[in-house]
Amino acid sequence: MKRLICGLCFSLFVLFANPLDVCPKTSNLINRIEGQVYDPNHRPVENVYVELLNEVDSVIQRTKTNSAGRFTFSGVPAGRLMVKVLPFGTNLMEQTQEVIVIQTRLSNYIEYVDITLRYDKHSREAAIEKVPGVIFVQEIPAAARKSYTEGIADLAKHQERGLEELQAAINIFPDYFDALDSLGKEFISRRMYEKGYPYLLRAIDINPRSSSSYYSLGYAFYEMKQYPAALEAAKATTFLAPASVEAQLLFGTILRITGSYTEAEKALLQANSLAKKMNGETHWQLALLYNRLNRTQDTINELETFIKLVPDSPDKNKIRDMIAKLKTSAKHNQ
C-alpha cells in the first residue's frame, strides 16, 4: 500500500528496505549471507530487524525477517562480519553472530547462518508466555510432523518444495496449527494475500491465542483494503501482545486510515514509547496523522525525526522539501 501526505506517496513498512551497502565491489561476483532467526522453541521469528556490521561495528546493511524468519544480505564484502538481530518489541533478547565471508573468483559465495534467540526474562511479554492456557500443544501424527519439519527446513533454499511439504502436512492433519500458520504467513510474505489469509483464519480457529497469526491476518486484510476486518485482527493482536511495537503500529495505522484519530494517536504513541522513539515508521505514521489534523508543528517534528532515524530513505529530499513548505506555511499563518 502507498502512503499519502501532501500529495506524495511512499510504501508502507519500507524502513531500511534498501541495503546500505557502502563497500565497493571488487568483482562481478555477488556474495550473499542468508539466514533464519528462531525463538527458543525453534519457531521462526518474523518482522524483526537484522543488521550486518563490519569489523568496526559500522552498519553495512539492514533488513527485516520475513514471515518464515528468513533474511538475506546481498552484495556483501569479503571478510569478518557480524550479523546482529534486534527483536524490538518482543520478549526476545538481542543477539550477534560472527560470519566469515570468503571472496572467490569462480562463483558467488553464499554463507548460511541460523540464529536462535533467547527469552528476555525482564520482558513484559515473557510473563505472558507463562500464563496458564497460553501455551498451545497438539498431538501431531508422525507423518504430518515429518512433512512440516522438512517444509520449514526447505523454505530457506527450496521454497516451492517447502510450500508443498507444508501443504502435505495439512493434508495429513487438517488441524495442524503450526503448518497452517507457517503456510499462511509464507503466502503473506509473497504478497499472495488472497491465498494466505484462509490458512491464518483456520489457524486462529484452532489456536485463538496466537498474536503473530492475528498480526499477519491483520496485515493481509490491510493490504487487501478490507479495513474493518483488518482493524479487528489488529485489535486482537494488541490485546494478546500489548508490548509489541509492530502490533500497536499496525493498529494505529488502520485506525488513522479509518478516521479514528484519537484512538490512532494513542496506539501510535504507545508504539513509539515501546520502541523508545527509535522506530522510523511510527514517526512517519504520526506525521500522517498530525498532518490530517492540521497540527503543523507536530507534523514537522515527526518528519524531522523520521529523517534522523532513516537518513538513507530514498524519499529524503522530498521529505525535506515537504518540511520546508510546512515551515513556510506555518510562518504565513502566524
Side-chain angles (χ1 to χ4, degrees):
M1 194 199 87
K2 300 290 183 180
R3 307 182 182 118
L4 178 63
I5 180 171
C6 294
L8 298 176
C9 297
F10 305 89
S11 300
L12 179 71
F13 301 130
V14 294
L15 298 182
F16 312 122
N18 293 328
L20 307 177
D21 190 353
V22 296
C23 298
K25 304 295 187 296
T26 58
S27 72
N28 292 326
L29 300 177
I30 299 176
N31 299 324
R32 295 206 314 273
I33 296 176
E34 296 186 1
Q36 196 161 14
V37 180
Y38 298 97
D39 70 8
N41 296 315
H42 204 67
R43 295 175 299 195
V45 180
E46 62 178 319
N47 209 34
V48 296
Y49 289 113
V50 184
E51 293 181 340
L52 183 65
L53 296 87
N54 60 19
E55 291 184 333
V56 294
D57 291 333
S58 294
V59 177
I60 302 173
Q61 295 186 32
R62 186 184 288 110
T63 187
K64 270 190 173 184
T65 59
N66 66 10
S67 64
R70 298 200 306 273
F71 63 89
T72 300
F73 295 119
S74 183
V76 304
R80 176 182 174 275
L81 304 170
M82 304 299 292
V83 175
K84 187 175 186 179
V85 182
L86 303 167
F88 296 132
T90 73
N91 60 333
L92 301 168
M93 296 179 64
E94 177 183 305
Q95 185 166 319
T96 302
Q97 187 162 321
E98 180 181 281
V99 179
I100 303 297
V101 175
I102 302 172
Q103 183 66 57
T104 66
R105 295 181 180 275
L106 301 178
S107 62
N108 295 333
Y109 182 84
I110 304 177
E111 181 71 23
Y112 296 98
V113 56
D114 288 343
I115 300 176
T116 301
L117 303 178
R118 294 178 295 170
Y119 286 127
D120 183 354
K121 296 180 179 179
H122 301 290
S123 168
R124 288 174 57 190
E125 286 188 344
I128 295 175
E129 294 285 336
K130 299 177 182 179
V131 175
V134 173
I135 298 175
F136 183 75
V137 179
Q138 284 184 300
E139 291 186 9
I140 310 299
R145 187 180 297 279
K146 181 175 182 295
S147 290
Y148 169 77
T149 302
E150 292 175 350
I152 291 296
D154 282 335
L155 282 175
K157 302 177 185 178
H158 309 287
Q159 293 186 11
E160 296 305 321
R161 185 195 304 170
L163 294 176
E164 292 173 0
E165 288 164 335
L166 289 177
Q167 184 61 63
I170 295 170
N171 293 341
I172 296 169
F173 184 44
D175 289 343
Y176 197 162
F177 168 75
D178 285 338
L180 290 163
D181 185 62
S182 297
L183 189 54
K185 289 174 179 176
E186 185 63 26
F187 283 131
I188 299 306
S189 73
R190 294 171 173 227
R191 300 182 181 180
M192 300 169 67
Y193 308 114
E194 293 279 358
K195 196 168 184 177
Y197 84 83
Y199 288 98
L200 294 172
L201 283 173
R202 179 60 181 154
I204 289 169
D205 283 341
I206 296 166
N207 177 18
R209 297 290 298 178
S210 174
S211 61
S212 67
S213 299
Y214 272 110
Y215 177 84
S216 295
L217 182 64
Y219 182 73
F221 283 139
Y222 165 76
E223 287 287 353
M224 295 162 62
K225 301 189 186 307
Q226 296 185 18
Y227 297 129
L231 191 61
E232 289 302 315
K235 183 176 181 180
T237 309
T238 61
F239 175 77
L240 293 169
S244 168
V245 175
E246 296 299 336
Q248 298 289 351
L249 175 56
L250 179 62
F251 188 41
T253 298
I254 300 170
L255 285 167
R256 177 187 63 77
I257 290 172
T258 55
S260 299
Y261 301 131
T262 300
E263 293 180 35
E265 183 178 23
K266 181 179 178 181
L268 291 173
L269 289 176
Q270 176 72 355
N272 197 31
S273 175
L274 290 168
K276 299 179 180 179
K277 301 184 179 181
M278 295 299 292
N279 185 306
E281 178 64 25
T282 301
H283 290 284
W284 177 258
Q285 290 297 329
L286 282 167
L288 291 175
L289 174 64
Y290 293 145
N291 185 65
R292 182 68 181 83
L293 296 174
N294 295 318
R295 292 166 57 175
T296 304
Q297 188 57 53
D298 288 332
T299 303
I300 293 170
N301 293 341
E302 297 300 335
L303 289 175
E304 289 180 335
T305 302
F306 176 84
I307 287 293
K308 290 178 182 178
L309 293 174
V310 194
D312 296 293
S313 168
D315 298 303
K316 60 184 178 183
N317 291 331
K318 294 179 181 179
I319 296 173
R320 284 171 179 155
D321 289 342
M322 189 188 310
I323 292 172
K325 291 178 181 178
L326 287 170
K327 287 183 176 180
T328 299
S329 176
K331 288 181 180 180
H332 288 165
N333 292 331
Q334 287 180 351

